[in-house]
Amino acid sequence: MKKKYNQQVIDSVKEWLTDNLDKRLSIDDIASKSGYSKWYLQKLFARYHQETLARYIRRKKLIRSISELKESDIPIIRLAIKYHFESQQSFTRSFRHMLGCTPLQCRKHKLDATQQALLRTSDDPCLICRRNLPGLNKPKKSDV
């Protein structure tokens, strides 16, 4: 099935975002790359993904940081800076809100080799941890 032009644009925006998550991303810059106004791009993105562009970017940055939390000893504040959060507190607050645990809790939960491989390709990496940690299986407020 042939994709519509707008879907192709959104897919190329997502690909560009994935390659540039460690850069400071502004809606204006992303819109410029897409060829659309920032207002239209945000509306179009939300239509195709049922979430705002800003939320998508934040979620993808947090997901990307999970591998670094688990595979390195990089201080949490350095990850917050790398992914352009305003502070470690802002990073931790966003992490907890979107992923259901703090970066420190995430780091402490070690994964075996199979889980590590799944982590790198998953759109919901926290699901991998939740399967094995009864304490993290608590439903989020939005699930209740």
Side-chain angles (χ1 to χ4, degrees):
M1 185 171 148
K2 189 174 178 180
K3 287 185 178 182
K4 293 182 180 180
Y5 177 74
N6 286 341
Q7 180 64 50
Q8 291 173 342
V9 170
I10 295 300
D11 288 347
S12 69
V13 165
K14 285 174 42 183
E15 185 177 324
W16 184 82
L17 288 171
T18 299
D19 294 340
N20 292 282
L21 286 173
D22 60 344
K23 296 182 175 59
R24 184 170 296 282
L25 301 170
S26 76
I27 301 295
D28 289 327
D29 292 340
I30 298 164
S32 169
K33 297 225 180 284
S34 74
Y36 289 135
S37 73
K38 70 179 183 178
W39 309 112
Y40 186 70
L41 176 64
Q42 290 179 93
K43 181 178 177 180
L44 192 63
F45 193 92
R47 183 184 314 147
Y48 281 99
H49 290 285
Q50 290 73 50
E51 72 180 327
T52 66
L53 181 54
R55 183 177 169 83
Y56 175 85
I57 293 167
R58 191 175 318 111
R59 184 171 55 83
K60 288 298 188 178
K61 285 182 174 201
L62 291 169
I63 288 171
R64 173 79 55 88
S65 73
I66 290 173
S67 291
E68 293 178 69
L69 279 168
K70 295 212 177 275
E71 296 172 2
S72 74
D73 291 327
I74 297 171
I76 293 169
I77 191 161
R78 301 270 306 161
L79 289 174
I81 292 167
K82 177 179 181 178
Y83 290 105
H84 300 279
F85 284 82
E86 296 299 318
S87 65
Q88 181 176 337
Q89 292 81 7
S90 173
F91 178 72
T92 299
R93 191 172 34 253
S94 290
F95 202 98
R96 180 183 295 136
H97 177 74
M98 293 191 109
L99 304 175
C101 66
T102 67
L104 186 58
Q105 288 170 325
C106 180
R107 172 170 273 162
K108 285 181 178 180
H109 184 240
K110 300 300 179 194
L111 301 175
D112 62 30
T114 304
Q115 292 169 321
Q116 285 283 6
L118 287 172
L119 179 72
R120 290 184 199 98
T121 59
S122 176
D123 276 339
D124 186 3
C126 294
L127 183 61
I128 296 164
C129 290
R130 278 186 239 128
R131 286 183 187 152
N132 298 324
L133 274 181
L136 291 180
N137 284 333
K138 298 174 187 169
K140 295 179 188 174
K141 291 178 184 177
S142 60
D143 295 339
V144 178

